[in-house]
Amino acid sequence: MKVVIIGGVAGGATAAARLRRLDETAEIVVFERSGYVSYANCGLPYYIGGVIEDQADLTLQTPESFFARFQVDMRVRHEVTALHPDGKTVCVRNLETGEEFEEAYDKLLLSPGAKPAQPRLPGVGLEKLFTLRTVEDTLRIKDYIDAHRPRSAVLAGGGFISLELAENLRELGMEVTIVQRPKQLMTPFDPDMAAFMHGEVRRHGVRLALGRTVEGFAERDGGVDVLLKDTDSLHADMVVLAIGVAPDTALAKAAGLELGLKDSIAVNDRMETSVPDIYAVGDAVQVKHFVTGQDAVISLAGPANKQGRIAADNICGGDSRYQGSQGSSVIKVFGMTAAATGVNETAAKQAGLDADAVVLSPMSHAGYYPGGKLMTMKAVFEKGTFRLLGAQIVGYEGVDKRIDVLATAIRAGMTAVQLKDLDLAYAPPYSSAKDPVNMAGFMAENLAKGLVKQFRTEDVKDLPRDGSVTLLDVRTPREYAGGHIEGFRNIPVDELRERLGEIEPGKPAYVICQSGLRSYIACRILAGHGYEAYNFAGGFRFYDAVTGDRRLVEAATACGMDR
């Protein structure tokens, strides 16, 4: 059996190695357009910033090492220019010699990945305009920085690559501005959770131009003007386009393979395309979202590697199935860690799901053990069933391990309430006896049992201030004096029982504290005395961060830039 693989990075390299482990006699040929195979895409920004010092560390395997271990013919700088499914051949061009030839196959695996989105805008192609997707892109950026010592950069786009690159360019001492069409960074997160990332990048001197559309680029004064719609242009010494990626499927389209969302390659759960003996994996394929069941294109390394393994199994006569992607991800944002899995609340509602969420602010480990830091956690679930749909966490230590627990819970089909039953490891330096994941479950259980009702940030502005409801802040007077929501009166929770006479019976009470715990206790006290009480999800800390960020974003939208 002869297997030809197009693309030798995540999915293609994984498939090649798996094929060899399953079939010692198969002939395996990999064509990779770039000069590198099996390299660490996710490490590219950190090489630019000098965190990864040795270029060789970006490359997990070389063609020579891959052949030595797996006897796989890895041909770099070879571009496949056409597929001929009827004749089971591919046309190939050697990019170094210009030679063109045909290669026959018994099985063909497409792993072309994705390409940086290149909008048709004036000025695209300028010398000081960069993209970051391959090792070659990385070397071009790093060589430019080393040679010209630019002092400023504009990053167009607010996703993973842009945030990682912003951090690394700031570490090099550059002024950095991020331009993003949506009014938030990192759209896998809800806007309220993204607010904490906005605060972190601002604290490190990154300027944000959110809600702004790039209309083109122009050379001026030795740099580049980034032309923005309805506001002044931005000027920088260099610009990096990081506005997303698109499936690289021109070959598949030309060969008549069935396509899906965004011209991605349609595959079944065996990673088979619409054409017999042709498989496809990675960023170029359409998959099912594990949570919603809807078609999706999810460009992440983890799914690509799993799909490569599954395709290899099936090429060798097995019956492996891909169960769908849920988009689990984590990112370092300067000193902060942000992670997400499943769908966020915004996406859940767009998918037609009746979603709600609990928000909490637990410590990374036991509060009495030194060094604990707050994290903000949001667990999204379906109303009624309490099926766990997704989760987001922003914080410092312990974020990654909690998101992995929650990702596993989603994969296992658990409800938000069942999180309370998870038996998680505890020692004071690492966690609390009631782990944050358990706490999310306790909160969901309270909602499910009707022990508490909640109100959210978006509800606050519509609460009447005419005395028809009771608005109550149960923090200490000192906390209250440091900032509070207009119209909320202060009765500390520890004084509440003695001061119930100050709260008019028969009126609903809306209660807030710093994190949501004391206000929950206050709600239970009020309920025990016949009041209808609602607890604020997330507490004043959450409300203040989210509304403060919204004010900054709206003000920046009005003038074009964070000030």
Side-chain angles (χ1 to χ4, degrees):
M1 177 176 66
K2 181 177 180 180
V3 183
V4 169
I5 299 174
I6 300 175
V9 189
T14 294
R18 178 69 170 173
L19 282 165
R20 176 57 73 223
R21 291 194 295 270
L22 296 177
D23 188 339
E24 186 64 21
T25 64
E27 181 182 357
I28 307 169
V29 181
V30 179
F31 294 113
E32 167 56 42
R33 182 169 47 198
S34 77
Y36 300 87
V37 297
S38 190
Y39 58 83
N41 293 76
C42 301
L44 301 181
Y46 298 99
Y47 177 68
I48 292 171
V51 177
I52 298 173
E53 297 180 354
D54 190 343
Q55 178 186 328
D57 290 338
L58 294 174
T59 307
L60 307 178
Q61 293 277 1
T62 65
E64 294 77 18
S65 67
F66 216 101
F67 185 82
R69 178 161 295 180
F70 297 110
Q71 297 292 291
V72 169
D73 184 4
M74 282 274 191
R75 304 188 201 176
V76 297
R77 302 289 295 156
H78 280 69
E79 181 177 18
V80 175
T81 58
L83 313 180
H84 300 298
D86 292 341
K88 287 193 147 183
T89 63
V90 298
C91 292
V92 186
R93 179 185 298 118
N94 184 325
L95 296 178
E96 293 184 347
T97 68
E99 174 195 5
E100 296 187 0
F101 59 92
E102 285 196 349
E103 191 82 19
Y105 65 84
D106 297 309
K107 305 284 186 180
L108 177 64
L109 175 64
L110 307 178
S111 182
K115 57 188 177 182
Q118 288 276 16
R120 296 179 179 177
L121 297 175
V124 169
L126 292 176
E127 181 183 359
K128 295 173 183 178
L129 194 64
F130 302 86
T131 59
L132 181 56
R133 183 69 180 173
T134 66
V135 174
E136 285 90 346
D137 293 337
T138 307
L139 298 180
R140 181 174 168 237
I141 293 173
K142 186 166 178 57
D143 288 346
Y144 177 81
I145 292 173
D146 290 344
H148 299 281
R149 303 294 179 185
R151 293 178 295 177
S152 59
V154 169
L155 310 181
F160 289 94
I161 289 294
S162 186
L163 259 68
E164 291 166 347
L165 190 55
E167 176 180 346
N168 281 278
L169 295 182
R170 283 296 295 154
E171 293 297 324
L172 294 176
M174 295 175 62
E175 295 180 2
V176 178
T177 302
I178 297 176
V179 181
Q180 167 87 324
R181 181 181 296 176
K183 291 185 178 181
Q184 69 167 94
L185 302 175
M186 295 295 294
T187 53
F189 293 78
D190 284 312
D192 51 10
M193 297 297 286
F196 293 89
M197 287 180 271
H198 296 171
E200 182 73 1
V201 299
R202 290 188 187 109
R203 280 190 292 274
H204 286 82
V206 176
R207 302 176 75 187
L208 300 179
L210 303 177
R212 289 300 178 188
T213 301
V214 176
E215 292 195 320
F217 308 92
E219 288 185 303
R220 182 175 66 85
D221 297 337
V224 180
D225 277 345
V226 180
L227 310 177
L228 303 179
K229 184 177 181 179
D230 299 329
T231 192
D232 295 339
S233 62
L234 302 173
H235 186 78
D237 295 330
M238 62 181 292
V239 175
V240 180
L241 278 177
I243 57 177
V245 294
D248 192 355
T249 57
L251 287 174
K253 187 174 185 178
L257 276 66
E258 182 183 341
L259 302 180
L261 292 175
K262 302 178 183 178
D263 277 349
S264 58
I265 303 171
V267 294
N268 60 19
D269 59 359
R270 288 170 47 87
M271 309 314 299
E272 296 170 322
T273 71
S274 60
V275 175
D277 296 322
I278 300 182
Y279 298 74
V281 301
D283 294 354
V285 305
Q286 174 180 280
V287 297
K288 294 292 184 184
H289 197 289
F290 182 80
V291 174
T292 66
Q294 296 179 345
D295 292 331
V297 178
I298 297 178
S299 299
L300 292 169
N305 279 278
K306 295 179 184 71
Q307 293 160 14
R309 179 184 175 91
I310 288 167
D313 287 353
N314 295 324
I315 287 171
C316 291
D319 188 25
S320 292
R321 306 276 175 161
Y322 187 63
Q323 302 299 316
S325 299
Q326 65 189 68
S328 299
S329 61
V330 64
I331 183 172
K332 179 180 181 293
V333 185
F334 291 95
M336 183 174 275
T337 299
T341 187
V343 291
N344 61 34
E345 189 175 10
T346 306
K349 291 178 178 177
Q350 289 172 347
L353 296 169
D354 190 11
D356 200 355
V358 293
V359 180
L360 57 158
S361 302
M363 295 288 286
S364 57
H365 61 241
Y368 61 83
Y369 188 88
K373 294 183 178 180
L374 278 175
M375 64 178 72
T376 305
M377 178 186 294
K378 183 177 186 179
V380 182
F381 56 86
E382 188 174 37
K383 291 181 181 178
T385 68
F386 281 82
R387 177 169 71 104
L388 190 59
L389 303 175
Q392 302 151 65
I393 311 176
V394 180
Y396 300 90
E397 299 171 358
V399 168
D400 52 342
K401 76 172 184 176
R402 271 59 183 235
I403 207 68
D404 284 342
V405 171
L406 290 161
T408 304
I410 291 171
R411 183 65 54 158
M414 295 177 64
T415 67
V417 174
Q418 288 173 321
L419 296 175
K420 69 184 176 63
D421 298 319
L422 291 176
D423 194 345
L424 303 174
Y426 159 62
Y430 304 105
S431 185
S432 299
K434 297 176 182 177
D435 188 86
V437 174
N438 296 136
M439 290 301 301
F442 295 143
M443 294 171 68
E445 181 187 41
N446 287 337
L447 289 172
K449 290 184 174 181
L451 293 177
V452 69
K453 300 175 183 178
Q454 64 178 12
F455 66 111
R456 307 279 301 277
T457 302
E458 57 271 20
D459 301 321
V460 172
K461 66 180 184 303
D462 297 323
L463 291 176
R465 265 69 172 183
D466 59 0
S468 59
V469 300
T470 297
L471 305 179
L472 193 60
D473 188 321
V474 297
R475 295 176 297 158
T476 66
R478 182 175 180 179
E479 289 173 304
Y480 182 83
H484 58 269
I485 302 174
E486 182 182 356
F488 279 70
R489 58 177 299 199
N490 181 220
I491 300 180
V493 65
D494 293 335
E495 301 175 13
L496 183 58
R497 289 184 180 89
E498 290 71 32
R499 297 175 63 180
L500 283 174
E502 300 177 28
I503 303 173
E504 188 173 342
K507 293 182 179 180
Y510 292 82
V511 190
I512 192 169
C513 71
Q514 190 69 8
S515 69
L517 176 58
R518 284 173 288 172
S519 51
Y520 163 64
I521 294 170
C523 284
R524 293 307 304 152
I525 293 171
L526 291 169
H529 289 272
Y531 293 86
E532 180 184 4
Y534 295 81
N535 186 28
F536 182 78
F540 184 79
R541 169 184 172 270
F542 184 77
Y543 175 85
D544 192 44
V546 172
T547 56
D549 176 71
R550 287 177 183 171
R551 287 192 294 270
L552 285 174
V553 171
E554 293 304 323
T557 302
C559 68
M561 181 65 58
D562 271 6
R563 298 299 182 188

